[in-house]
Amino acid sequence: MSPVADHLSAWDSLLAQSYAFGEPCVAGRIRSRVEDFQVDEISSVTPDGEGEHLLVHIRKSGANTDWVAGQLARALGIERRDVGYAGRKDRHAVTTQWFSARLPGVEPSGWQQQLPPGVAVLASERHRRKLRVGSLRGNRFKIVIRDLDGETETLAARAQHVAAEGVPNYFGTQRFGRGGSNLSAARAMFAEPRRRIARGRRGLLLSAARAYIFNAVLARRVADASWNCLLTGDVAGLAGSHSVFAVPEVDDTLRQRILRQDIHPTGPLWGRGDLMSRAAVRELELTMAGRDQEFAAGLEAAGLEQARRPLRLIVEDLALQVSGDVARISFALTAGGYATAVLRELVLGREMRATEKHASARHAS
């Protein structure tokens, strides 16, 4: 199989992943307009009110985070490396987030007028430290889905299931690039380890390969209906924390903690070192990683260490309104959670539906 055909096959497999609550009976158009997808960052940082950095709260429309960071640096007359942010936000959306800009002893003026259309400053305050990726609690989403078609009366019940039980914590399709292009690029990078690749690009491709293995494991756990419960040999993660612990046996105490959503089962973020999982869980994780040995071996050779990610994503403050053929959905997710993981359990996006049906047909033939 050619590299291109190989990555397309892998991409089809991702699109054909199992659904936690069965395939949705409703389709609709997502992101018909930029303003239909709104994301507000929930920061974990409180401005100090002093320091050599300027924290800037920005609303952007139709622009990616890295590009805005560059525009902010240009407007302030500083190097791009002196601008930081906590998380990347969707390009095809209206989003708000905080940036930091290193300006020791400088009080800039007139810089806000130098920013391009679609980028607006909401507030700015002094701070002692540069913002680092990951320094956020989560994101709040407001999404409009248009041209609904199908059994729209099922949406409310599905939303209740999602709000009560959460959803499989899949990495979103944007992690893999357009049409899965980041997966093919990762394969090429692993095949030629001495080829020089920019640090940021390299990190992106490593993340795509890692996410692919994780999604493959999670898809199997969804198919087995074990994505939201603990199995013997599992590794449990504490909610709101990176702390994990092995589960040699599942007792009533652990079952209650799972029901309270105090802990979650986890899956592997692949790297070198021994898996924490044991028994059948370990075998499953090794099997799924072994199906794409290029990725697993490449990640290990790159020096990444084994880590864990929750299999379950809790959806907070979910609200749904349906009027005619339009649905408005709002919810909040912890850092690292993808809105697309929530939406795919509620509706089939028009483009998603066509591609997934095609993928399912190909794998059935």
Side-chain angles (χ1 to χ4, degrees):
M1 183 180 291
S2 72
V4 172
D6 190 39
H7 105 257
L8 288 175
S9 177
W11 182 240
D12 282 351
S13 296
L14 285 170
L15 291 176
Q17 290 162 24
S18 305
Y19 292 92
F21 309 111
E23 185 177 283
C25 302
V26 180
R29 294 192 183 280
I30 301 170
R31 300 181 195 260
S32 296
R33 310 167 188 172
V34 171
E35 61 270 22
D36 283 351
F37 204 96
Q38 299 184 27
V39 189
D40 295 312
E41 184 176 271
I42 305 172
S43 179
S44 63
V45 174
T46 301
D48 295 325
E50 60 181 5
E52 65 176 19
H53 295 272
L54 186 68
L55 286 188
V56 185
H57 197 204
I58 282 180
R59 181 176 62 239
K60 63 183 184 64
S61 177
N64 68 50
T65 297
D66 285 331
W67 181 80
V68 172
Q71 295 300 307
L72 183 60
R74 182 188 62 81
L76 289 167
I78 61 177
E79 297 293 328
R80 168 62 184 84
R81 64 174 177 268
D82 290 326
V83 176
Y85 52 78
R88 294 180 176 87
K89 298 291 179 288
D90 296 79
R91 175 181 179 180
H92 301 291
V94 176
T95 69
T96 64
Q97 68 180 117
W98 286 91
F99 292 79
S100 67
R102 186 172 181 271
L103 292 162
V106 177
E107 291 300 332
S109 62
W111 59 275
Q112 297 187 22
Q113 288 70 43
Q114 302 301 314
L115 293 172
V119 179
V121 175
L122 304 178
S124 60
E125 296 187 57
R126 281 284 173 177
H127 194 58
R128 292 190 178 94
R129 294 169 296 280
K130 180 180 181 179
L131 283 182
R132 303 292 181 183
V133 172
S135 55
L136 72 162
R137 293 205 308 273
N139 296 288
R140 193 171 298 279
F141 299 86
K142 293 181 181 179
I143 298 168
V144 179
I145 304 174
R146 302 181 186 277
D147 301 331
L148 294 178
D149 179 33
E151 302 172 19
T152 55
E153 66 276 7
T154 65
L155 269 177
R158 291 185 75 92
Q160 288 180 351
H161 281 301
V162 167
E165 302 178 41
V167 297
N169 193 19
Y170 287 120
F171 283 97
T173 55
Q174 56 266 51
R175 178 60 66 99
F176 306 107
R178 186 182 296 275
S181 58
N182 287 347
L183 296 176
S184 332
R187 291 189 195 283
M189 178 179 69
F190 293 145
E192 300 180 58
R194 294 187 178 182
R195 186 160 58 106
R196 298 188 68 177
I197 299 176
R199 182 177 178 181
R201 174 67 173 165
R202 177 180 171 80
L204 183 69
L205 300 184
L206 291 173
S207 294
R210 226 178 187 191
Y212 176 69
I213 293 176
F214 176 88
N215 275 12
V217 171
L218 176 53
R220 283 290 301 273
R221 293 287 295 257
V222 173
D224 295 341
S226 64
W227 63 278
N228 57 355
C229 63
L230 287 176
L231 304 177
T232 297
D234 243 325
V235 180
L238 293 174
S241 166
H242 295 295
S243 298
V244 297
F245 61 92
V247 180
E249 250 182 73
V250 183
D251 57 23
D252 287 340
T253 299
L254 290 176
R255 292 189 188 96
Q256 288 302 313
R257 293 184 70 183
I258 279 282
L259 289 174
R260 293 197 306 267
Q261 300 176 351
D262 174 43
I263 58 175
H264 308 292
T266 66
L269 294 176
W270 206 264
R272 63 187 181 185
D274 192 28
L275 282 169
M276 286 184 66
S277 54
R278 294 292 181 264
V281 175
R282 179 188 178 91
E283 291 305 312
L284 168 63
E285 294 176 358
L286 288 171
T287 297
M288 300 313 293
R291 289 186 176 183
D292 214 312
Q293 189 59 34
E294 288 173 285
F295 282 174
L299 290 165
E300 292 170 20
L304 276 71
E305 301 288 344
Q306 284 280 353
R308 308 293 295 188
R309 171 182 168 92
L311 297 180
R312 178 170 62 173
L313 175 64
I314 301 306
V315 183
E316 300 177 0
D317 304 328
L318 190 149
L320 168 71
Q321 292 182 329
V322 180
S323 177
D325 64 350
V326 176
R328 288 176 169 80
I329 303 170
S330 62
F331 53 86
L333 300 176
T334 55
Y338 285 79
T340 49
V342 179
L343 294 177
R344 76 183 304 276
E345 292 293 339
L346 295 172
V347 299
L348 290 172
R350 292 292 188 188
E351 296 77 13
M352 184 188 301
R353 164 174 263 183
T355 311
E356 289 189 349
K357 292 292 188 183
H358 173 65
S360 298
R362 284 183 55 182
H363 284 280
S365 61

